[in-house]
Amino acid sequence: MFVRRDKILGLFWPESDERRARSSLSETLSRLRGSLGPNVIVTRGSDEIGISPDHLWCDAADLLVASERGDKAEIANLYRGALLDGFFLDDGGGFDH
C-alpha cells in the first residue's frame, strides 16, 4: 500500500512549510532505511511511499486486507488489544484523529 508524500507531510509536520516538511520527511526516510535496510521503504514515482511487504510484516496492513476480504477469522487472529495504546505525538496535528 502506498501513501502520497503530501499526506504524510500533513500528518507529521502540519506546522512546517512544504520545503521544511519535505526535508524532514527525506531525513526520516533515510534514517528508516538505515535502520530497517534499503529495501523496506519503497517508492512509486516521486509522490508515493510504501513499505515492502516482502521485507517487513505489518499487522495493520494485513488487518486492512483481511477487512477488505471480509475474513472475520483472520481479523480476530490479527487483533490483539488496543490500537497504539499509549502512543501519542507532541504537536501531531490531525494524527490523533
Side-chain angles (χ1 to χ4, degrees):
M1 178 166 92
F2 287 88
V3 178
R4 293 190 51 81
R5 285 178 187 262
D6 54 352
K7 185 172 184 176
I8 295 170
L9 298 178
L11 286 173
F12 289 99
W13 299 280
E15 303 299 322
S16 296
D17 62 66
E18 185 174 353
R19 184 186 61 75
R20 177 180 257 159
R22 286 188 178 274
S23 175
S24 295
L25 177 58
S26 292
E27 182 179 329
T28 299
L29 292 174
S30 178
R31 288 181 182 198
L32 285 170
R33 286 183 176 113
S35 296
L36 301 173
N39 299 318
V40 174
I41 306 295
V42 293
T43 58
R44 183 166 59 189
S46 61
D47 293 329
E48 296 180 306
I49 302 167
I51 297 174
S52 170
D54 295 335
H55 293 91
L56 182 71
W57 178 75
C58 178
D59 60 349
D62 279 2
L63 186 62
L64 180 61
V65 170
S67 176
E68 290 170 350
R69 284 193 321 250
D71 187 343
K72 294 176 184 172
E74 183 63 11
I75 291 169
N77 182 49
L78 289 168
Y79 181 78
R80 298 203 171 88
L83 178 64
L84 298 174
D85 188 30
F87 179 80
F88 67 94
L89 294 173
D90 289 336
D91 298 323
F95 186 78
D96 292 343
H97 302 300

